[in-house]
Amino acid sequence: MASKRDWLDAGLVLLAEQGAPSVTIERLSERLGLSKGSFYHHFKGMTGFRTALLEHFEAERTIRFIEQAEAAEGDRLSTLLKLVLAPGPGLGLEIAIRAWALQDAEARAVQERVDRSRVAYLTEISGDAGLAQALYLVVVGAGQVVPPLSGRQLKNALELVLGRRK
C-alpha cells in the first residue's frame, strides 16, 4: 500500500504536468497503480486531499528549501538557488499552483503565504529587500513567459540580477 506521502508526491507531479483540474482520485490511482480504497485509507475525499496537497507543496518547495539552505555550509543564497534550479517539477509546479490560486481561495491563501515566506527569507539571507524581490520576480516570471525559461536561461537571468555575470 502506498503511503500518504506517495499520494501527495504523485499529486504534485500530476499537478505540475496537467494542472489542478487533472488531479482526481481516478488519475492518482491510475498513476500509482492502486485502488481508490488505498486513497480513502489516507484521505476522506478530494477536499481533504487538496488541502493536504497544498500543505505538502508548501512543506516541500518552501520550508524544506529554507531548512536545507540554513543547514548548508557556505553561502545560503547559492544553496537556495541550486535547490530552486534542481531538476524536477519545479517551474511546472509553480505555474500550476499559481493558476490554481487564481481560481481557488484555499490555493490562493497558501500561495500568498508561500510568497511572503520566500521573499522574507531571500531578504534575510541577501540583506537587501529590493534584491530579494527582484530575484523572486525573475523566478516567478521565468515560468510565466511562453515558453517558460529553461533552467540555464533562468540561471543566467538570476546571475545577471546578482551581478555575477559580466
Side-chain angles (χ1 to χ4, degrees), residues 40-73:
Y40 287 108
H41 175 76
H42 298 291
F43 308 98
K44 293 184 191 250
M46 280 309 293
T47 302
F49 178 79
R50 287 188 175 117
T51 297
L53 186 63
L54 288 165
E55 291 169 355
H56 188 59
F57 163 75
E58 183 176 16
E60 288 299 303
R61 303 289 304 176
T62 301
I63 296 167
R64 185 174 61 84
F65 281 11
I66 291 170
E67 288 171 348
Q68 287 181 325
E70 285 295 306
E73 297 288 327

Side-chain angles (χ1 to χ4, degrees), residues 98-120:
R98 287 184 186 286
W100 187 9
L102 292 173
Q103 302 170 11
D104 181 271
E106 184 179 17
R108 181 177 178 83
V110 170
Q111 185 66 69
E112 287 175 4
R113 187 172 59 241
V114 162
D115 286 346
R116 279 192 310 273
S117 296
R118 290 172 175 178
V119 172

Side-chain angles (χ1 to χ4, degrees), residues 10 12 24 26 38 47 74 91 115 120-121 131 134 144 153 156:
L12 290 180
T24 64
E26 292 78 19
S38 177
T47 302
L91 285 179
D115 286 346
Y121 185 67
L131 175 60
Q144 298 302 313
Q153 290 170 318
N156 289 341

Side-chain angles (χ1 to χ4, degrees), residues 7 13 21 35 42 49 55 57-58 62 69 76-77 84 86 94 103 106 111 116 124 128 131 139 143 150 164:
W7 286 98
V13 171
S35 70
H42 298 291
F49 178 79
E55 291 169 355
F57 163 75
E58 183 176 16
T62 301
R76 295 179 291 173
L77 182 57
V84 169
E94 295 290 332
Q103 302 170 11
E106 184 179 17
Q111 185 66 69
R116 279 192 310 273
E124 176 188 325
D128 183 331
L131 175 60
V139 172
S150 69
R164 293 182 182 168

Side-chain angles (χ1 to χ4, degrees), residues 137-153:
L137 291 174
V138 167
V139 172
V140 170
Q144 298 302 313
V145 295
V146 178
L149 295 185
S150 69
R152 177 169 290 302
Q153 290 170 318

